Every structure is written in structure tokens, then in C-alpha cells.
Amino acid sequence: MLVPMARKTASDDPLAPVTLAVGQEDLLLDRAVRDVVAAARAADADTDVRELTPDQLQPGTLAELTSPSLFAERKVVVVRNAQDLSADTIKDVKAYLSAPAEEITLVLLHAGGAKGKGLLDAARKAGAREVACPKMTKPADRLAFVRQEFRATGRSATPEACQALVDAIGSDLRELASAVSQLVADVEGTIDEAVVGRYYTGRAEASSFTVADRAVEGRAAEALEALRWSLATGVAPVMITSALAQGVRAIGKLSSARGGRPADLARELGMPPWKIDRVRQQMRGWTPDGVAAALRAVAEADAGVKGGGDDPEYALEKAVVTIARAARSRGR
């Protein structure tokens, strides 16, 4: 299921006594905090905001921060990495959840998972407003995020432009959001692929999808150059294996499909028409045996980057070379 942005529970009042933001996507966690602070300051411009890390929230600190004030000031208390709180502090927080103070909003940022699960369960049981902020590991999730960012601004962007932006920027949601903001500020009318290319063509060379495109086209040297640049700029290895898998599978799907117009094949294969045209150009030189060999190489690389090997970079380089060779297998 796609998760384009933070999902909220039915009780969606940012001034609820307790907000629980769960996940590891920093941008969404920060937005959850921002929404609460904005709502509090809209109600009271003098709202006091306190942000605390686990080492700053010692036993007794929460009681001090939430004790009644002579001036009944509104306050937002943000606890980051709540899963790392000490056992004694968690007891304090659980006690507070049973009787939250008026005019105070407590925001707990929790990574989810097993660590600190008791606090997570207690907050949910107490009826905390919950905002889900999961890490977006799938390209489709980031594509949905970009589309929603454009929609939120009231601006139109073509599907090709959204895909080009994800291809160019990669997995960093902050950079994707910033890129959308820049395009919206600088460009009038509908944002298309050509506009994205003018702004971000340099970044596109560092994307995981560029690595995949060069590999399936049989351009091994360029694919390896793009791979090394991608890794140097922080693209996660798992994102590269995912892009390689998508590229090879697209070749396999289209090579076994019946002929027809791009629009008909798009419906049959679940690809946009523009991608059908791109894959048709890339699939020259491929054979069924080549596709099979390339898929095995991707599977081995995927295992290597997920802990099955000692050197993820070598695993990726090996896969890229194998795929590039397979792309030139016809006519040997």
C-alpha cells in the first residue's frame, strides 16, 4: 500500500492532549511536530515549545514541565526518540498519559518496532492522536509523495515530470520536497519532464534509475560510473538493486508481450506509455537467456547488499557488469 505522506488517525485535532508520531522518516516526523506547534501558536501566539531528547528527559522532568502555571500558558512538549527513554522516565510518561494536563500538548516521536513498545502501546491505549511516518523505501511511495506535494501546492505536474524528479533526486524526502517547492516557485503553468530535466539533469546522473538505464542498455562503463557516483552521494544500495530489478523485469515483460500500440501495452503490462517507448529502445540485443541471467545477477546483488555479502559495492558492480553483458547477448 502506498504511503504518500504521514497518515493520521480519525481523531485529527493537532491540539489533542497527546500526539504520537510513529516511524523513521525524518521529514514526516518534523512535519508532525510542525503541525502541532502551528496549531498551538494559532490558538496562543505565546505558546512555549520545549523539545527534549531522551538524555534530557530525566525522571521528574516531565512533571516539572507539565505542572500548573500561574499564567496558564499553553505549552507544547516534544520528546524525540521516545523509544530510547529510560525505564524510570517511561513510568513518568505512562503516568502522565492517564491524566494529561490542560493547555499542554505532548508530542512523542517513536521509531516504532520492538524497542520501547510498552510506551507505544500505552499511548495508543490512552487514545493518543497518531501520525504514521514510515520510511519510504519503495520508489512507488516516493513517486506518490511527489505527486501529493504538487497537489498540496495546487499546481499540476505531468506523471513523466514526477517520475523524472524521483529519478533525479533519489530517496531523500527533504530534497524531493525542496525540489517541488523550487519548481513551483520558479515555473508557471504545468510542470513537465523537460522542465525537470533543465533543473535537475546533473542530479539525474547520480540516481539509481540512471544506473539501471545504462546497464540495461549495455553501457557498462557509464553504468559503473553512475553507480559509483550514486553511492558517493548517499543513494542506498537497496534502492539501486530495486531499480536494476525494475529495469530488467520491464525488458522481460515487454519482450514477451504481444505487439501493439504503447497505450495498449501500457494497459496490459501496467506501465505508462512513455515507459513502453523507452523500454523498446533499451531491449535491443536482449534474449530470454540474457533476461534470466540478469535477474539472477540482481537477486545475488540484492542478497549481497542486505547482509549476505561482505562488500555491497562489489555486489552491485558485479550485477551491473552482468546485466550490461546480457544486454548485448543477441547476435553473439
Side-chain angles (χ1 to χ4, degrees):
M1 181 173 63
L2 299 186
V3 187
M5 64 168 47
R7 300 191 312 273
K8 303 172 184 176
T9 54
S11 174
D12 195 21
D13 179 6
L15 293 182
V18 180
T19 286
L20 179 64
V22 184
Q24 299 179 43
E25 189 60 71
D26 289 339
L27 174 67
L28 301 185
L29 290 167
D30 287 346
R31 285 184 174 182
V33 173
R34 180 199 65 188
D35 290 348
V36 171
V37 171
R41 286 185 169 156
D44 180 354
D46 295 324
T47 294
D48 182 23
V49 178
R50 304 289 183 90
E51 291 208 21
L52 302 166
T53 55
D55 61 308
Q56 295 172 320
L57 192 62
Q58 299 297 321
T61 304
L62 185 61
E64 293 176 13
L65 290 172
T66 58
S67 59
S69 166
L70 289 174
F71 304 102
E73 64 179 350
R74 182 177 289 279
K75 188 179 294 183
V76 175
V77 178
V78 180
V79 180
R80 292 188 176 272
N81 298 311
Q83 73 279 357
D84 295 329
L85 291 171
S86 69
D88 288 339
T89 303
I90 287 177
K91 289 179 183 178
D92 285 356
V93 177
K94 287 182 176 179
Y96 177 82
L97 292 173
S98 64
E102 293 185 10
E103 301 299 313
I104 292 178
T105 298
L106 175 65
V107 183
L108 299 173
L109 307 187
H110 194 294
K115 189 175 184 181
K117 189 173 184 298
L119 177 59
L120 199 61
D121 293 341
R124 286 168 171 162
K125 187 175 180 180
R129 166 182 174 261
E130 185 168 343
V131 182
C133 308
K135 200 76 175 173
M136 295 189 185
T137 59
K138 297 179 180 179
D141 289 347
R142 292 191 294 280
L143 180 59
F145 173 82
V146 167
R147 288 172 175 162
Q148 192 147 347
E149 288 289 291
F150 278 118
R151 282 198 295 269
T153 67
R155 293 290 299 279
S156 296
T158 66
E160 294 83 359
C162 293
Q163 183 66 63
L165 195 59
V166 172
D167 289 354
I169 300 298
S171 60
D172 191 314
L173 249 60
R174 289 187 190 280
E175 293 195 23
L176 284 169
S178 176
V180 170
S181 296
Q182 181 179 4
L183 289 168
V184 166
D186 292 354
V187 179
E188 295 183 358
T190 299
I191 294 164
D192 59 19
E193 188 177 12
V195 169
V196 174
R198 286 200 302 272
Y199 273 74
Y200 296 103
T201 186
R203 289 294 304 275
E205 293 175 4
S207 76
S208 55
F209 286 97
T210 299
V211 178
D213 284 342
R214 299 297 84 81
V216 300
E217 290 162 4
R219 295 153 68 179
E222 293 176 45
L224 288 171
E225 182 181 357
L227 170 64
R228 288 160 189 155
W229 185 249
S230 295
L231 294 172
T233 55
V235 176
V238 69
M239 303 307 306
I240 299 173
T241 56
S242 175
L244 290 171
Q246 288 187 53
V248 176
R249 288 189 190 119
I251 297 288
K253 282 183 178 180
L254 194 56
S255 62
S256 62
R258 298 186 303 274
R261 297 177 304 165
D264 296 332
L265 288 170
R267 284 191 294 272
E268 180 183 342
L269 302 178
M271 298 180 191
W274 62 266
K275 189 169 183 179
I276 296 290
D277 290 335
R278 177 188 292 179
V279 176
R280 271 180 167 166
Q281 294 173 358
Q282 293 173 335
M283 63 187 288
R284 297 166 188 161
W286 281 90
T287 65
D289 287 344
V291 172
L295 287 174
R296 286 195 298 272
V298 171
E300 290 173 3
D302 191 54
V305 303
K306 291 179 179 176
D310 296 328
D311 190 341
E313 184 172 343
Y314 172 74
L316 286 169
E317 288 183 354
K318 183 179 177 183
V320 164
V321 170
T322 301
I323 292 168
R325 283 179 185 157
R328 301 191 303 272
S329 57
R330 189 183 298 278
R332 284 186 187 172

